[in-house]
Amino acid sequence: MRNRLLCCVVSAFVTDSLAARNSVAWASSAVLFRPLRGGGARFASMTTKRDTRGEGMAGTLFQYKSQQVHLQAFESGPLHAERKLVVLGGLSDGMLPCPYVPELAHALVEDGWSTVQVNLRSSYMQWGFGSLSQDVEDLTALLDCLVEKRGATTLAVCGHSTGSQIIAHLMRTRPHDRVSHVILQGGVSDRESDDAEETRARSVALELAASISSSSLSGGQEMMPRDTTWAPVTAQRYMDLNAVAGADDYFSSDLSDAQLAERFGGFYSRTNVLIAYSADDEYVAKSVDKRKLLRRLCEAMQGGGSRDGVGPVVVPVLVPGGDHALYTHTSADFFVDAAAAFLNDRPVVAALE
């Protein structure tokens, strides 16, 4: 029974059960880590918000990994679809990571795409003792399952926030030959800040993490003190997220061109890429020039040159008025329109010149 594929049709009425996660017992009054960078409810009081996740999504729940750990995913849309989009959330996310997910799934149905949401070992509050490499291992298992057991011939992946880092790490270390399109939405730096006190506190915590990692029998897998941040986190994971050029450091604006090229070089040759950056992302330092960063990321993916209209493309989009998770209805519509056009190889009108 353990090796059988678990498959059942369900109607998932999933709400954001982590809306109050900033008040969990791990939270600290001395925040050494930005309090939330995922699909949380920071914008719940905005009158212009639209969040249809509470209305639910119908589809098929299935198990994609059964050795050592049991992991599940949820597929919505046309039965037996050959084109499948995998959606990945950020820190503390799982199913229904962002308000736009139901709308994006609905927009893709007409063109024959199904949408797959996934639980990783690092989902929800378990991100603090995971790693990008572990996430890539789980994601690869899902992609293989979709091809081998669920009839996929073409795959696309869409990452929100840290989900963008996971996908970038996949393309850098274990690119999958069936992935034709990649969307990076809200991929931002975990460490960049204009707040001097926040920067100082992070520096202190990084010194402690390095000390714990070097002195403990468990090495980097030893836990940081409870007041470090709002979730349990190992010393290594803290360094991965917060150290300059750490394992998770893909989108910091102060990385050199060479460092960006190391992380993204050759990306464009494997698949089409859409980079969607929110103009009003609350987790991006005000000093960051978003247009400039978008162009630098594109240049890194393109190896410093243009594609001349041949082969895979890199499409930069700056979402006007968009917050981190795209809670406002205008920004969500803007992104969904751009993503649907991109996935179906139509011109993305909103692309930066």
Side-chain angles (χ1 to χ4, degrees), residues 287-314:
S287 60
V288 173
D289 185 331
K290 299 180 181 69
R291 289 177 178 270
K292 180 179 179 181
L293 178 57
L294 269 173
R295 293 192 173 96
R296 290 186 64 216
L297 290 169
C298 290
E299 290 173 0
M301 292 177 185
Q302 295 171 326
S306 68
R307 292 294 296 162
D308 297 324
V310 179
V313 297
V314 179

PDB file of all heavy atoms in Angstrom, residues 287-314:
ATOM      1  N   SER A 287      15.629  51.767  -1.402  1.00  0.00           N
ATOM      2  CA  SER A 287      16.799  52.209  -2.161  1.00  0.00           C
ATOM      3  C   SER A 287      17.069  51.371  -3.404  1.00  0.00           C
ATOM      4  O   SER A 287      17.887  51.748  -4.245  1.00  0.00           O
ATOM      5  CB  SER A 287      18.036  52.169  -1.257  1.00  0.00           C
ATOM      6  OG  SER A 287      18.262  50.849  -0.777  1.00  0.00           O
ATOM      7  N   VAL A 288      16.387  50.240  -3.549  1.00  0.00           N
ATOM      8  CA  VAL A 288      16.622  49.351  -4.690  1.00  0.00           C
ATOM      9  C   VAL A 288      15.911  49.885  -5.924  1.00  0.00           C
ATOM     10  O   VAL A 288      14.705  50.157  -5.903  1.00  0.00           O
ATOM     11  CB  VAL A 288      16.133  47.921  -4.378  1.00  0.00           C
ATOM     12  CG1 VAL A 288      16.222  47.044  -5.620  1.00  0.00           C
ATOM     13  CG2 VAL A 288      16.953  47.321  -3.247  1.00  0.00           C
ATOM     14  N   ASP A 289      16.663  50.033  -7.005  1.00  0.00           N
ATOM     15  CA  ASP A 289      16.106  50.418  -8.301  1.00  0.00           C
ATOM     16  C   ASP A 289      15.572  49.152  -8.965  1.00  0.00           C
ATOM     17  O   ASP A 289      16.333  48.352  -9.506  1.00  0.00           O
ATOM     18  CB  ASP A 289      17.199  51.069  -9.164  1.00  0.00           C
ATOM     19  CG  ASP A 289      16.669  51.607 -10.483  1.00  0.00           C
ATOM     20  OD1 ASP A 289      15.675  51.049 -11.003  1.00  0.00           O
ATOM     21  OD2 ASP A 289      17.270  52.555 -11.016  1.00  0.00           O
ATOM     22  N   LYS A 290      14.268  48.952  -8.919  1.00  0.00           N
ATOM     23  CA  LYS A 290      13.676  47.696  -9.374  1.00  0.00           C
ATOM     24  C   LYS A 290      13.855  47.486 -10.869  1.00  0.00           C
ATOM     25  O   LYS A 290      14.116  46.362 -11.326  1.00  0.00           O
ATOM     26  CB  LYS A 290      12.198  47.647  -8.990  1.00  0.00           C
ATOM     27  CG  LYS A 290      11.939  47.715  -7.477  1.00  0.00           C
ATOM     28  CD  LYS A 290      10.457  47.671  -7.191  1.00  0.00           C
ATOM     29  CE  LYS A 290      10.174  47.769  -5.691  1.00  0.00           C
ATOM     30  NZ  LYS A 290      10.494  49.118  -5.160  1.00  0.00           N
ATOM     31  N   ARG A 291      13.695  48.527 -11.660  1.00  0.00           N
ATOM     32  CA  ARG A 291      13.876  48.390 -13.109  1.00  0.00           C
ATOM     33  C   ARG A 291      15.307  47.992 -13.445  1.00  0.00           C
ATOM     34  O   ARG A 291      15.542  47.117 -14.292  1.00  0.00           O
ATOM     35  CB  ARG A 291      13.518  49.698 -13.813  1.00  0.00           C
ATOM     36  CG  ARG A 291      12.030  50.009 -13.821  1.00  0.00           C
ATOM     37  CD  ARG A 291      11.756  51.352 -14.475  1.00  0.00           C
ATOM     38  NE  ARG A 291      10.323  51.622 -14.522  1.00  0.00           N
ATOM     39  CZ  ARG A 291       9.518  51.288 -15.513  1.00  0.00           C
ATOM     40  NH1 ARG A 291      10.030  50.661 -16.578  1.00  0.00           N
ATOM     41  NH2 ARG A 291       8.234  51.570 -15.470  1.00  0.00           N
ATOM     42  N   LYS A 292      16.246  48.618 -12.777  1.00  0.00           N
ATOM     43  CA  LYS A 292      17.649  48.295 -13.016  1.00  0.00           C
ATOM     44  C   LYS A 292      17.956  46.862 -12.623  1.00  0.00           C
ATOM     45  O   LYS A 292      18.650  46.130 -13.343  1.00  0.00           O
ATOM     46  CB  LYS A 292      18.550  49.260 -12.233  1.00  0.00           C
ATOM     47  CG  LYS A 292      20.041  49.000 -12.432  1.00  0.00           C
ATOM     48  CD  LYS A 292      20.872  50.010 -11.647  1.00  0.00           C
ATOM     49  CE  LYS A 292      22.374  49.748 -11.827  1.00  0.00           C
ATOM     50  NZ  LYS A 292      23.182  50.725 -11.045  1.00  0.00           N
ATOM     51  N   LEU A 293      17.419  46.419 -11.469  1.00  0.00           N
ATOM     52  CA  LEU A 293      17.652  45.051 -11.014  1.00  0.00           C
ATOM     53  C   LEU A 293      17.038  44.052 -11.993  1.00  0.00           C
ATOM     54  O   LEU A 293      17.656  43.029 -12.315  1.00  0.00           O
ATOM     55  CB  LEU A 293      17.067  44.849  -9.611  1.00  0.00           C
ATOM     56  CG  LEU A 293      17.188  43.439  -9.031  1.00  0.00           C
ATOM     57  CD1 LEU A 293      18.649  42.990  -8.979  1.00  0.00           C
ATOM     58  CD2 LEU A 293      16.556  43.371  -7.645  1.00  0.00           C
ATOM     59  N   LEU A 294      15.834  44.333 -12.470  1.00  0.00           N
ATOM     60  CA  LEU A 294      15.202  43.453 -13.453  1.00  0.00           C
ATOM     61  C   LEU A 294      16.080  43.289 -14.687  1.00  0.00           C
ATOM     62  O   LEU A 294      16.272  42.177 -15.198  1.00  0.00           O
ATOM     63  CB  LEU A 294      13.838  44.015 -13.856  1.00  0.00           C
ATOM     64  CG  LEU A 294      12.620  43.556 -13.061  1.00  0.00           C
ATOM     65  CD1 LEU A 294      11.393  44.350 -13.481  1.00  0.00           C
ATOM     66  CD2 LEU A 294      12.378  42.078 -13.234  1.00  0.00           C
ATOM     67  N   ARG A 295      16.601  44.390 -15.172  1.00  0.00           N
ATOM     68  CA  ARG A 295      17.438  44.332 -16.379  1.00  0.00           C
ATOM     69  C   ARG A 295      18.735  43.569 -16.114  1.00  0.00           C
ATOM     70  O   ARG A 295      19.223  42.827 -16.972  1.00  0.00           O
ATOM     71  CB  ARG A 295      17.718  45.746 -16.887  1.00  0.00           C
ATOM     72  CG  ARG A 295      16.459  46.444 -17.414  1.00  0.00           C
ATOM     73  CD  ARG A 295      16.782  47.709 -18.178  1.00  0.00           C
ATOM     74  NE  ARG A 295      15.595  48.253 -18.810  1.00  0.00           N
ATOM     75  CZ  ARG A 295      14.828  49.207 -18.292  1.00  0.00           C
ATOM     76  NH1 ARG A 295      15.142  49.734 -17.116  1.00  0.00           N
ATOM     77  NH2 ARG A 295      13.760  49.649 -18.935  1.00  0.00           N
ATOM     78  N   ARG A 296      19.310  43.758 -14.931  1.00  0.00           N
ATOM     79  CA  ARG A 296      20.542  43.028 -14.591  1.00  0.00           C
ATOM     80  C   ARG A 296      20.282  41.519 -14.513  1.00  0.00           C
ATOM     81  O   ARG A 296      21.108  40.712 -14.954  1.00  0.00           O
ATOM     82  CB  ARG A 296      21.112  43.529 -13.261  1.00  0.00           C
ATOM     83  CG  ARG A 296      21.682  44.938 -13.315  1.00  0.00           C
ATOM     84  CD  ARG A 296      22.353  45.282 -11.992  1.00  0.00           C
ATOM     85  NE  ARG A 296      23.505  44.421 -11.758  1.00  0.00           N
ATOM     86  CZ  ARG A 296      23.872  43.959 -10.561  1.00  0.00           C
ATOM     87  NH1 ARG A 296      23.130  44.228  -9.498  1.00  0.00           N
ATOM     88  NH2 ARG A 296      24.938  43.214 -10.438  1.00  0.00           N
ATOM     89  N   LEU A 297      19.132  41.135 -13.935  1.00  0.00           N
ATOM     90  CA  LEU A 297      18.786  39.717 -13.865  1.00  0.00           C
ATOM     91  C   LEU A 297      18.620  39.141 -15.271  1.00  0.00           C
ATOM     92  O   LEU A 297      19.094  38.040 -15.566  1.00  0.00           O
ATOM     93  CB  LEU A 297      17.502  39.534 -13.060  1.00  0.00           C
ATOM     94  CG  LEU A 297      17.595  39.791 -11.558  1.00  0.00           C
ATOM     95  CD1 LEU A 297      16.201  39.848 -10.929  1.00  0.00           C
ATOM     96  CD2 LEU A 297      18.440  38.721 -10.872  1.00  0.00           C
ATOM     97  N   CYS A 298      17.960  39.900 -16.138  1.00  0.00           N
ATOM     98  CA  CYS A 298      17.784  39.437 -17.523  1.00  0.00           C
ATOM     99  C   CYS A 298      19.129  39.282 -18.230  1.00  0.00           C
ATOM    100  O   CYS A 298      19.354  38.296 -18.941  1.00  0.00           O
ATOM    101  CB  CYS A 298      16.899  40.407 -18.292  1.00  0.00           C
ATOM    102  SG  CYS A 298      15.172  40.397 -17.783  1.00  0.00           S
ATOM    103  N   GLU A 299      19.994  40.239 -18.034  1.00  0.00           N
ATOM    104  CA  GLU A 299      21.315  40.164 -18.655  1.00  0.00           C
ATOM    105  C   GLU A 299      22.092  38.961 -18.158  1.00  0.00           C
ATOM    106  O   GLU A 299      22.799  38.295 -18.919  1.00  0.00           O
ATOM    107  CB  GLU A 299      22.092  41.460 -18.394  1.00  0.00           C
ATOM    108  CG  GLU A 299      21.551  42.660 -19.152  1.00  0.00           C
ATOM    109  CD  GLU A 299      22.223  43.952 -18.738  1.00  0.00           C
ATOM    110  OE1 GLU A 299      23.118  43.894 -17.857  1.00  0.00           O
ATOM    111  OE2 GLU A 299      21.856  45.016 -19.266  1.00  0.00           O
ATOM    112  N   ALA A 300      21.981  38.677 -16.867  1.00  0.00           N
ATOM    113  CA  ALA A 300      22.665  37.512 -16.300  1.00  0.00           C
ATOM    114  C   ALA A 300      22.137  36.223 -16.929  1.00  0.00           C
ATOM    115  O   ALA A 300      22.905  35.315 -17.273  1.00  0.00           O
ATOM    116  CB  ALA A 300      22.489  37.473 -14.787  1.00  0.00           C
ATOM    117  N   MET A 301      20.812  36.134 -17.095  1.00  0.00           N
ATOM    118  CA  MET A 301      20.221  34.937 -17.693  1.00  0.00           C
ATOM    119  C   MET A 301      20.587  34.799 -19.164  1.00  0.00           C
ATOM    120  O   MET A 301      20.708  33.690 -19.693  1.00  0.00           O
ATOM    121  CB  MET A 301      18.696  34.992 -17.553  1.00  0.00           C
ATOM    122  CG  MET A 301      18.210  34.874 -16.122  1.00  0.00           C
ATOM    123  SD  MET A 301      16.407  35.028 -16.041  1.00  0.00           S
ATOM    124  CE  MET A 301      16.154  35.014 -14.262  1.00  0.00           C
ATOM    125  N   GLN A 302      20.769  35.943 -19.829  1.00  0.00           N
ATOM    126  CA  GLN A 302      21.078  35.925 -21.248  1.00  0.00           C
ATOM    127  C   GLN A 302      22.570  35.923 -21.536  1.00  0.00           C
ATOM    128  O   GLN A 302      22.987  36.057 -22.668  1.00  0.00           O
ATOM    129  CB  GLN A 302      20.434  37.140 -21.919  1.00  0.00           C
ATOM    130  CG  GLN A 302      18.911  37.097 -21.885  1.00  0.00           C
ATOM    131  CD  GLN A 302      18.289  38.391 -22.363  1.00  0.00           C
ATOM    132  OE1 GLN A 302      18.827  39.470 -22.141  1.00  0.00           O
ATOM    133  NE2 GLN A 302      17.140  38.293 -23.011  1.00  0.00           N
ATOM    134  N   GLY A 303      23.366  35.772 -20.505  1.00  0.00           N
ATOM    135  CA  GLY A 303      24.806  35.750 -20.714  1.00  0.00           C
ATOM    136  C   GLY A 303      25.377  37.076 -21.143  1.00  0.00           C
ATOM    137  O   GLY A 303      26.431  37.135 -21.790  1.00  0.00           O
ATOM    138  N   GLY A 304      24.673  38.178 -20.809  1.00  0.00           N
ATOM    139  CA  GLY A 304      25.179  39.505 -21.138  1.00  0.00           C
ATOM    140  C   GLY A 304      24.784  39.987 -22.506  1.00  0.00           C
ATOM    141  O   GLY A 304      25.120  41.089 -22.911  1.00  0.00           O
ATOM    142  N   GLY A 305      24.051  39.170 -23.275  1.00  0.00           N
ATOM    143  CA  GLY A 305      23.654  39.564 -24.623  1.00  0.00           C
ATOM    144  C   GLY A 305      22.188  39.332 -24.854  1.00  0.00           C
ATOM    145  O   GLY A 305      21.476  38.805 -24.016  1.00  0.00           O
ATOM    146  N   SER A 306      21.699  39.740 -26.004  1.00  0.00           N
ATOM    147  CA  SER A 306      20.296  39.545 -26.337  1.00  0.00           C
ATOM    148  C   SER A 306      20.122  38.255 -27.112  1.00  0.00           C
ATOM    149  O   SER A 306      21.069  37.696 -27.656  1.00  0.00           O
ATOM    150  CB  SER A 306      19.787  40.724 -27.173  1.00  0.00           C
ATOM    151  OG  SER A 306      20.414  40.720 -28.446  1.00  0.00           O
ATOM    152  N   ARG A 307      18.873  37.809 -27.204  1.00  0.00           N
ATOM    153  CA  ARG A 307      18.574  36.566 -27.905  1.00  0.00           C
ATOM    154  C   ARG A 307      18.280  36.798 -29.380  1.00  0.00           C
ATOM    155  O   ARG A 307      18.141  35.850 -30.147  1.00  0.00           O
ATOM    156  CB  ARG A 307      17.371  35.875 -27.256  1.00  0.00           C
ATOM    157  CG  ARG A 307      17.629  35.357 -25.863  1.00  0.00           C
ATOM    158  CD  ARG A 307      18.648  34.242 -25.863  1.00  0.00           C
ATOM    159  NE  ARG A 307      18.147  33.079 -26.592  1.00  0.00           N
ATOM    160  CZ  ARG A 307      18.909  32.107 -27.046  1.00  0.00           C
ATOM    161  NH1 ARG A 307      20.226  32.181 -26.925  1.00  0.00           N
ATOM    162  NH2 ARG A 307      18.399  31.083 -27.676  1.00  0.00           N
ATOM    163  N   ASP A 308      18.121  38.059 -29.792  1.00  0.00           N
ATOM    164  CA  ASP A 308      17.833  38.383 -31.197  1.00  0.00           C
ATOM    165  C   ASP A 308      16.595  37.654 -31.703  1.00  0.00           C
ATOM    166  O   ASP A 308      16.509  37.276 -32.879  1.00  0.00           O
ATOM    167  CB  ASP A 308      19.039  38.040 -32.086  1.00  0.00           C
ATOM    168  CG  ASP A 308      20.277  38.857 -31.729  1.00  0.00           C
ATOM    169  OD1 ASP A 308      20.102  40.038 -31.378  1.00  0.00           O
ATOM    170  OD2 ASP A 308      21.393  38.316 -31.800  1.00  0.00           O
ATOM    171  N   GLY A 309      15.636  37.421 -30.809  1.00  0.00           N
ATOM    172  CA  GLY A 309      14.389  36.796 -31.223  1.00  0.00           C
ATOM    173  C   GLY A 309      14.481  35.320 -31.511  1.00  0.00           C
ATOM    174  O   GLY A 309      13.538  34.716 -32.026  1.00  0.00           O
ATOM    175  N   VAL A 310      15.606  34.698 -31.201  1.00  0.00           N
ATOM    176  CA  VAL A 310      15.793  33.282 -31.502  1.00  0.00           C
ATOM    177  C   VAL A 310      15.832  32.482 -30.204  1.00  0.00           C
ATOM    178  O   VAL A 310      16.534  32.841 -29.263  1.00  0.00           O
ATOM    179  CB  VAL A 310      17.092  33.052 -32.291  1.00  0.00           C
ATOM    180  CG1 VAL A 310      17.281  31.562 -32.573  1.00  0.00           C
ATOM    181  CG2 VAL A 310      17.062  33.836 -33.600  1.00  0.00           C
ATOM    182  N   GLY A 311      15.089  31.362 -30.160  1.00  0.00           N
ATOM    183  CA  GLY A 311      15.155  30.474 -29.010  1.00  0.00           C
ATOM    184  C   GLY A 311      14.392  31.009 -27.818  1.00  0.00           C
ATOM    185  O   GLY A 311      13.544  31.896 -27.931  1.00  0.00           O
ATOM    186  N   PRO A 312      14.683  30.474 -26.631  1.00  0.00           N
ATOM    187  CA  PRO A 312      13.980  30.872 -25.403  1.00  0.00           C
ATOM    188  C   PRO A 312      14.111  32.369 -25.127  1.00  0.00           C
ATOM    189  O   PRO A 312      15.075  33.014 -25.536  1.00  0.00           O
ATOM    190  CB  PRO A 312      14.675  30.040 -24.324  1.00  0.00           C
ATOM    191  CG  PRO A 312      15.231  28.864 -25.053  1.00  0.00           C
ATOM    192  CD  PRO A 312      15.644  29.390 -26.390  1.00  0.00           C
ATOM    193  N   VAL A 313      13.131  32.908 -24.416  1.00  0.00           N
ATOM    194  CA  VAL A 313      13.101  34.341 -24.140  1.00  0.00           C
ATOM    195  C   VAL A 313      13.111  34.598 -22.649  1.00  0.00           C
ATOM    196  O   VAL A 313      12.720  33.753 -21.847  1.00  0.00           O
ATOM    197  CB  VAL A 313      11.850  35.006 -24.759  1.00  0.00           C
ATOM    198  CG1 VAL A 313      11.862  34.880 -26.268  1.00  0.00           C
ATOM    199  CG2 VAL A 313      10.575  34.401 -24.176  1.00  0.00           C
ATOM    200  N   VAL A 314      13.563  35.785 -22.269  1.00  0.00           N
ATOM    201  CA  VAL A 314      13.509  36.258 -20.887  1.00  0.00           C
ATOM    202  C   VAL A 314      12.655  37.519 -20.892  1.00  0.00           C
ATOM    203  O   VAL A 314      12.999  38.493 -21.558  1.00  0.00           O
ATOM    204  CB  VAL A 314      14.912  36.555 -20.334  1.00  0.00           C
ATOM    205  CG1 VAL A 314      14.811  37.064 -18.898  1.00  0.00           C
ATOM    206  CG2 VAL A 314      15.793  35.328 -20.402  1.00  0.00           C
TER     207      VAL A 314
END
